[in-house]
Amino acid sequence: MSLLNTAKKTVALSVAALTLSAFANQANAQELSFGPKVGFTSSTLAGNDAPDGTSSVSKFTAGVFFKANAGEIVSFQPEVLYAQRGATTTSGNDPDGQTLDVDYLQIPVLIKAQVPISETIFPFVYAGPYGAFELSNNYQAAIFDGAIVFNDQADVNDFDFGAVVGAGMDFQINSFFLGFDARYDIGMSKTVKVDGEQQDMKNRAFTLFASFGVNLGD
């Protein structure tokens, strides 16, 4: 692991810790919940410079969430996620394809609205911005029907940002709840450079999440 990658990870973890610390200080007078979440992600790249043969790849997302109620309906929910992103491309001139995989530490800050339909079922919608620190990446290209495979690192920007929209449902079980939701990440920053020039290619991802929450009370 290079010194640069180690430094990037240290900075990213420090920012995540400061974000959650600030959130906890603001949430001390509110009902607080937290827990892990894990998701299956379909990720791709979109933009004017994305090749015509660009398609999605299956990825993994996991992390923790913290939620503070700001009333009966609205709550604030920051998250810290290990988010895998990427895409693959094929074309008539490149039938064996190219694949880019990028790992991020992603920090969404969401505003969540939920209206209970019973004492135990809480449907919700949410939206908010995210920032993401690139942890590592891998670029792979194959030629001659896959007989030769090149592995290297791409010139990926260290920071990505965008917006998150999603919806789901929580099921309350005493002091715990199970949650299921689907979200769409809309990257707003250009992700990749080619020969030192910024390319109009942005992250897009659809994720199905399952989560387990613990209510800490008022």
Side-chain angles (χ1 to χ4, degrees):
M1 180 181 296
S2 70
L3 182 61
L4 178 60
N5 282 339
T6 301
K8 286 195 295 185
K9 291 182 179 181
T10 300
V11 171
L13 290 172
S14 298
V15 171
L18 289 172
T19 299
L20 294 179
S21 176
F23 169 79
N25 290 334
Q26 293 296 322
N28 57 5
Q30 303 169 336
E31 183 180 347
L32 180 65
S33 305
F34 77 98
K37 63 189 308 175
V38 61
F40 173 81
T41 301
S42 176
S43 173
T44 191
L45 291 169
N48 293 330
D49 294 324
D52 291 338
T54 300
S55 58
S56 62
V57 291
S58 297
K59 292 295 178 180
F60 174 79
T61 304
V64 294
F65 70 91
F66 295 79
K67 185 183 76 166
N69 291 340
E72 295 183 357
I73 295 176
V74 176
S75 60
F76 298 96
Q77 182 169 303
E79 301 174 348
V80 177
L81 305 173
Y82 170 71
Q84 295 180 322
R85 299 290 183 259
T88 184
T89 64
T90 58
S91 67
N93 296 327
D94 185 19
D96 297 310
Q98 304 175 59
T99 300
L100 175 65
D101 297 311
V102 187
D103 295 340
Y104 291 99
L105 181 70
Q106 187 190 72
I107 305 175
V109 181
L110 308 175
I111 298 177
K112 184 175 180 180
Q114 60 184 24
V115 179
I117 57 177
S118 73
E119 293 183 355
T120 58
I121 301 176
F122 298 82
F124 59 80
V125 295
Y126 58 76
Y130 77 79
F133 298 88
E134 187 241 340
L135 300 177
S136 64
N137 78 78
N138 181 67
Y139 168 75
Q140 184 179 93
I143 60 174
F144 302 123
D145 293 327
I148 299 177
V149 177
F150 295 98
N151 283 285
D152 200 356
Q153 282 199 323
D155 190 359
V156 174
N157 289 330
D158 292 340
F159 185 73
D160 180 40
F161 65 89
V164 175
V165 292
M169 192 168 296
D170 289 335
F171 299 88
Q172 189 74 35
I173 307 172
N174 297 321
S175 296
F176 309 98
F177 61 88
L178 294 175
F180 301 93
D181 64 280
R183 75 174 50 169
Y184 189 62
D185 289 13
I186 307 167
M188 297 180 181
S189 65
K190 297 176 181 179
T191 304
V192 181
K193 294 179 182 178
V194 176
D195 296 329
E197 295 186 5
Q198 195 74 59
Q199 303 296 300
D200 184 17
M201 291 187 283
K202 302 170 184 176
N203 283 312
R204 298 287 187 269
F206 176 78
T207 305
L208 297 174
F209 277 109
S211 58
F212 177 77
V214 179
N215 295 322
L216 300 182
D218 297 325

